[in-house]
Amino acid sequence: MRYAVVSDVHANIDSLQCVLSSIGSDDALVSLGDVVGYGPNPNECVAALRERATHAVLGNHDLAAVENFGVENFNPAARSAIGWTQQALGDDAKRWLNSLPYELRLPDFLLVHGAPVDYFEYILDKATAARAFERTDARIVFIGHTHIAEYWDRDDEGNIGHRHMQQGGELELEPGKRYIIDVGSVGQPRDLNPLACYVEYDADAGRVRWIRYEYPIAEVQRKMRAAGLPRYLADRLSAGR
Ligand code: ZN
């Protein structure tokens, strides 16, 4: 089985379309949440994932869009974008987002937006990763949330390894190791590479690939400005931060 894993699409339909047109029709499509927020096309992104995704979990921006949850912790640009998104989202799209679970457990992996159990925690260092491994027995945990493509592994003795995937790359899964795979962001990469990112997981081969790809950034920025979304949110797409 082969999975394409996307996260943090953030209403960027132009980037999501690039993923949809490059994956195989037999590939399962997994969404790790934050389908909406920041970008100009929330309804289109919900519709596309609703139709194509085989597995999907809830992100903090999705929850903020449907029930204003956690908005007090957002920075001013994010808060303004969520207000815009709440107005723009249709009832059907809201219902679908509201139906998503916080986690999905498949036999050999776990899907969450940020971290196991504490779903919206940010895993940004080895200490947080080590605690996250303690909270699940899943061999592989797929996460997004940070918009940074990277992974952590843990061996039998509890040693934690880490690698950034800023330029994309491949990981051969080793027996005896467990993994937290951060798939990066389709809609708003923040690891100083403006190329978007998703992950291809080949379960039979035991291989994970981070794929960095171009999408029409200028077109998305034009739509964001036309929609009146905060200028800073459009500008940051060119810098990948
Ligand atoms: Zn996000």
Side-chain angles (χ1 to χ4, degrees):
M1 188 74 204
R2 214 164 59 162
Y3 300 85
V5 190
V6 300
S7 192
D8 297 274
V9 171
H10 284 297
N12 186 336
I13 190 67
D14 300 81
S15 182
L16 180 60
Q17 290 293 3
C18 295
V19 178
L20 295 177
S21 60
S22 50
I23 64 178
S25 55
D26 291 340
D27 294 350
L29 178 64
V30 175
S31 167
L32 298 179
D34 279 7
V35 176
V36 303
Y38 298 134
N41 292 107
N43 289 302
E44 292 83 349
C45 290
V46 166
L49 287 174
R50 190 178 184 176
E51 173 170 337
R52 181 62 177 84
T54 48
H55 311 82
V57 295
L58 184 76
N60 54 313
H61 284 253
D62 305 323
L63 197 53
V66 295
E67 54 185 49
N68 217 37
F69 173 88
V71 172
E72 65 279 5
N73 303 318
F74 282 20
N75 65 43
R79 201 176 310 148
S80 155
I82 275 297
W84 183 91
T85 302
Q86 289 168 342
Q87 298 295 314
L89 264 184
D91 288 344
D92 244 32
K94 282 187 181 161
R95 260 194 297 278
W96 183 74
L97 291 171
N98 214 6
S99 75
L100 299 177
Y102 286 99
E103 64 168 43
L104 280 174
R105 178 67 193 259
L106 283 86
D108 67 334
F109 58 82
L110 175 71
L111 308 173
V112 288
H113 183 60
V117 182
D118 193 355
Y119 300 114
F120 301 149
E121 180 181 44
Y122 291 91
I123 299 178
L124 288 164
D125 55 37
K126 286 187 180 180
T128 326
R131 283 199 301 276
F133 278 119
E134 301 287 321
R135 288 196 227 114
T136 178
D137 62 356
R139 176 163 180 246
I140 309 170
V141 183
F142 288 99
I143 64 166
H145 198 33
T146 65
H147 302 208
I148 294 168
E150 59 190 335
Y151 75 84
W152 286 268
D153 59 32
R154 184 190 189 279
D155 68 15
D156 287 341
E157 268 109 59
N159 301 304
I160 306 289
H162 170 253
R163 199 172 141 204
H164 279 295
M165 287 295 181
Q166 191 204 28
Q167 305 301 325
E170 210 167 282
L171 166 66
E172 301 279 346
L173 302 177
E174 296 172 48
K177 278 192 176 177
R178 296 169 62 210
Y179 298 89
I180 295 172
I181 308 286
D182 192 324
V183 305
S185 174
V186 164
Q188 191 201 77
R190 288 182 198 158
D191 50 5
L192 302 179
N193 180 355
L195 297 182
C197 189
Y198 74 99
V199 149
E200 181 191 272
Y201 169 47
D202 187 328
D204 304 319
R207 191 188 312 117
V208 179
R209 278 175 67 210
W210 283 257
I211 298 164
R212 307 297 301 234
Y213 63 95
E214 287 186 36
Y215 71 94
I217 292 178
E219 170 60 10
V220 178
Q221 290 171 320
R222 186 195 62 72
K223 285 194 278 183
M224 290 174 76
R225 289 174 190 131
L229 285 157
R231 183 144 195 127
Y232 157 73
L233 295 177
D235 290 346
R236 69 188 301 182
L237 295 179
S238 316
R241 52 181 291 219

